[in-house]
Amino acid sequence: MPELKKQLEKIMDEAEGAYADVIVQFKSEKDKSLSRLLEVVVDTERGRAMMVDPAKILPPVARAFDGSQRARTLLRKSDASLAANIALDARFDALRGVISVDVADNFLNSDIVSRAVHSAKSRLRGKAKAAEPMHLDNIGGVRMVVHKQDLPGIIDEKKERVEGIYENFHIKAPRLFEASAAQLNQDEPYDGTTWGLRQTRALAAWSTFGTRGLTKNGTPVRVAVLDTGVDPDHPDIKGRLVDFAEFNGSGTIVNSGVANAFDSDQHGTHVAGTIVGGNASGGWIGMAPDAELISGLVLDGKKGGTLAQVIKGIEWAVQKNAHVINLSLGGLSFESTVGTPYQRAIVDALVRGTLVVAAIGNDGHQTTGAPGNDYFSLAVGAHDSRQRCAGFSGGRTLVLDQSSFIDSKHLPLVYTKPDLSAPGVAVKSSMPKGKWASLNGTSMATPHVSGAAALLFAATDLTNSPADQRAFLVKDLLLGGVTDLGEAGQDQRFGYGTINVLRSIDEALKRGF
């Protein structure tokens, strides 16, 4: 177990204080399915490496997914489509439900683990409640607090069950970067919407396809924003919020319901406005103003949050039937994150039909932030109104040398992030207490893509697609519809190009979705 030993040593060396707040992930019968799914993705991405036309990513026609022999022929012709390649391979049908609760209970109730947990709770006294173990069902694991000296014994005795152990690391709340006067002056002439709505072609999509977030049967597309919370009384958001939950550091919901919603900072309200905001300011700010919002407060504006908070937020959003999850959060990372808890949570969401959209980070070229750099996330970079890459926007090529899930024959695995870019400079949106502001960041670019996904769901019948196909189809359609910027094909600054939701919807309808 060299990888498990390395993970343990890292926690022992880097975790502050005498106690370790950790996430333990368990082995499961689902691991073979996950491994196979990763192999399909690896094969597909490698096939795209020399591709210069993003349109080749588009999925085949809808009838290609009906399971017939003729349909399989159509799937094979779309060799750059992730949805098509996944549909061709049925060896990971059982991926849903990564782990049973019984496995986690048996682990926590074992003598060595229960003694370590009880000892930590006794010694922590006033913080005992925060040390209470938490099931993380969507990743097949638990979060727990134990004394560092107890960890080696636990891992040694339970190594046959343990897939990995990770620090429940702290995540800072995203900083707010106000646009400068010079950046504001670069905006195109005002015509009743933000420049982002115009450049992403959202405004054109509204008029062309007759929807701003309502599906054909009149049901709103549901978008989850996991962030610092949201101000439900802002005039651009009021009436769009339908659910709210606040999570503490262990991942426990401590507050819920629209009546109790609030923004612990300002960031979440700004992000939410770019997705569902109206025109209370005199101009439209939201990509899909008729969609509905659910808000998970996973980052306290002053204290930040933890990995467990975000993981439970993702689980909550999927359980609440979100079509899209927006993650304008994360932390600078110089390591690839394949196989971490983030990946388990993202994959679990995808196979249940929920698209996960994540910011690539604001630390500039040759850096990335997790979970935007996860292999499965739809990672978003930022550009300005003249379609120039923002200097702060992250992006790099990552090299993965070791993985618990990917066969060694595929390693080293090389992949590039972001996947695409969107407006992220001088983005006007809502702020708490009925205010507005123009901010910079990949956090501002990400909700443009989440809003575009909401419009794609609304203008098509994709909400009726099988859950295990839905998110992969939307991902292919968004990437295949981009307007290529920068180098031909995928690059480290723009990904495959900038979001063009008008084209993505048009291509989806042409294919019968």
Side-chain angles (χ1 to χ4, degrees), residues 177-179 183 195 332 359-369 380-384 388-395 422-427 439-446 492-493:
F177 298 96
E178 291 192 17
Q183 290 169 332
W195 71 268
L332 178 65
I360 196 59
N362 297 331
D363 292 289
H365 191 211
Q366 294 304 327
T367 70
T368 58
V380 185
H383 61 71
D384 66 15
R388 299 174 301 190
C389 183
F392 57 77
S393 185
V425 176
V427 175
L439 303 180
N440 298 338
T442 55
S443 285
M444 284 64 251
T446 304
Q492 298 175 357
R493 308 305 281 139

Side-chain angles (χ1 to χ4, degrees), residues 281-320:
S281 64
W284 293 96
I285 64 171
M287 294 283 290
D290 290 340
E292 64 184 20
L293 173 72
I294 63 173
S295 169
L297 198 164
V298 298
L299 299 175
D300 183 285
K302 294 181 180 179
K303 299 178 182 178
T306 68
L307 175 59
Q309 276 176 273
V310 179
I311 296 296
K312 290 300 286 187
I314 294 172
E315 181 180 279
W316 171 80
V318 172
Q319 291 173 345
K320 292 293 182 177

Side-chain angles (χ1 to χ4, degrees), residues 244-265:
F244 172 82
E246 177 186 0
F247 297 83
N248 66 13
S250 68
T252 302
I253 294 178
V254 295
N255 182 25
S256 63
V258 174
N260 297 315
F262 70 102
D263 194 337
S264 63
D265 188 47

Side-chain angles (χ1 to χ4, degrees), residues 151-388:
L151 265 183
I154 291 172
I155 298 304
D156 183 60
E157 183 167 321
K158 298 298 179 183
K159 59 179 179 287
E160 298 305 317
R161 291 185 182 180
V162 176
E163 181 67 64
I165 180 169
Y166 308 90
E167 184 180 0
N168 182 27
F169 55 77
H170 180 260
I171 303 169
K172 293 181 180 179
R175 292 174 59 192
L176 299 177
F177 298 96
E178 291 192 17
S180 67
Q183 290 169 332
L184 291 170
N185 289 335
Q186 291 173 9
D187 196 358
E188 302 168 24
Y190 175 78
D191 66 354
T193 68
T194 63
W195 71 268
L197 267 64
R198 298 192 299 273
Q199 199 175 96
T200 59
R201 307 304 304 279
L203 192 62
W206 295 356
S207 58
T208 303
F209 302 111
T211 182
R212 299 185 307 181
L214 291 179
T215 62
K216 293 177 182 179
N217 64 8
T219 304
V221 176
R222 177 170 288 192
V223 182
V225 172
L226 304 182
D227 213 289
T228 63
V230 67
D231 177 1
D233 297 319
H234 192 284
D236 266 328
I237 295 175
K238 194 175 182 65
R240 306 318 309 157
L241 184 68
V242 297
D243 209 343
F244 172 82
E246 177 186 0
F247 297 83
N248 66 13
S250 68
T252 302
I253 294 178
V254 295
N255 182 25
S256 63
V258 174
N260 297 315
F262 70 102
D263 194 337
S264 63
D265 188 47
Q266 299 172 306
H267 193 269
T269 299
H270 196 278
V271 169
T274 301
I275 300 173
V276 299
N279 65 343
S281 64
W284 293 96
I285 64 171
M287 294 283 290
D290 290 340
E292 64 184 20
L293 173 72
I294 63 173
S295 169
L297 198 164
V298 298
L299 299 175
D300 183 285
K302 294 181 180 179
K303 299 178 182 178
T306 68
L307 175 59
Q309 276 176 273
V310 179
I311 296 296
K312 290 300 286 187
I314 294 172
E315 181 180 279
W316 171 80
V318 172
Q319 291 173 345
K320 292 293 182 177
N321 300 313
H323 297 98
V324 186
I325 295 174
N326 188 96
L327 296 175
S328 289
L329 52 77
L332 178 65
S333 173
F334 292 102
E335 299 177 1
S336 129
T337 56
V338 172
T340 67
Y342 268 139
Q343 181 167 91
R344 286 280 188 133
I346 291 171
V347 170
D348 183 72
L350 290 175
V351 298
R352 296 175 191 273
T354 302
L355 181 70
V356 180
V357 186
I360 196 59
N362 297 331
D363 292 289
H365 191 211
Q366 294 304 327
T367 70
T368 58
N373 61 2
D374 185 85
Y375 203 70
F376 278 92
S377 69
L378 184 61
V380 185
H383 61 71
D384 66 15
S385 62
R386 297 182 185 178
Q387 295 188 331
R388 299 174 301 190

Side-chain angles (χ1 to χ4, degrees), residues 41-171:
V41 177
V42 168
D43 288 341
T44 305
E45 293 286 352
R46 282 185 167 168
R48 294 177 180 178
M50 301 302 292
M51 186 185 69
V52 296
D53 182 8
K56 291 185 178 180
I57 297 174
L58 292 165
V61 293
R63 66 176 182 275
F65 295 87
D66 66 15
S68 66
Q69 188 59 44
R70 181 182 177 185
R72 294 181 68 81
T73 301
L74 293 172
L75 291 173
R76 290 191 184 95
K77 291 181 179 179
S78 298
D79 57 359
S81 162
L82 183 55
N85 283 293
I86 288 174
L88 277 171
D89 198 306
R91 280 180 279 178
F92 37 79
D93 287 342
L95 184 59
R96 294 180 200 78
V98 177
I99 195 79
S100 69
V101 175
D102 289 344
V103 175
D105 283 341
N106 289 338
F107 174 83
L108 290 173
N109 292 333
S110 65
D111 289 342
I112 189 169
V113 177
S114 61
R115 283 199 305 269
V117 170
H118 178 74
S119 174
K121 289 169 66 178
S122 299
R123 295 180 188 178
L124 287 170
R125 297 177 184 175
K127 297 181 180 179
K129 189 173 183 181
E132 191 69 36
M134 169 61 67
H135 286 67
L136 304 173
D137 297 335
N138 59 334
I139 69 166
V142 295
R143 173 264 179 184
M144 64 182 190
V145 176
V146 296
H147 199 284
K148 280 186 181 180
Q149 67 183 15
D150 293 328
L151 265 183
I154 291 172
I155 298 304
D156 183 60
E157 183 167 321
K158 298 298 179 183
K159 59 179 179 287
E160 298 305 317
R161 291 185 182 180
V162 176
E163 181 67 64
I165 180 169
Y166 308 90
E167 184 180 0
N168 182 27
F169 55 77
H170 180 260
I171 303 169

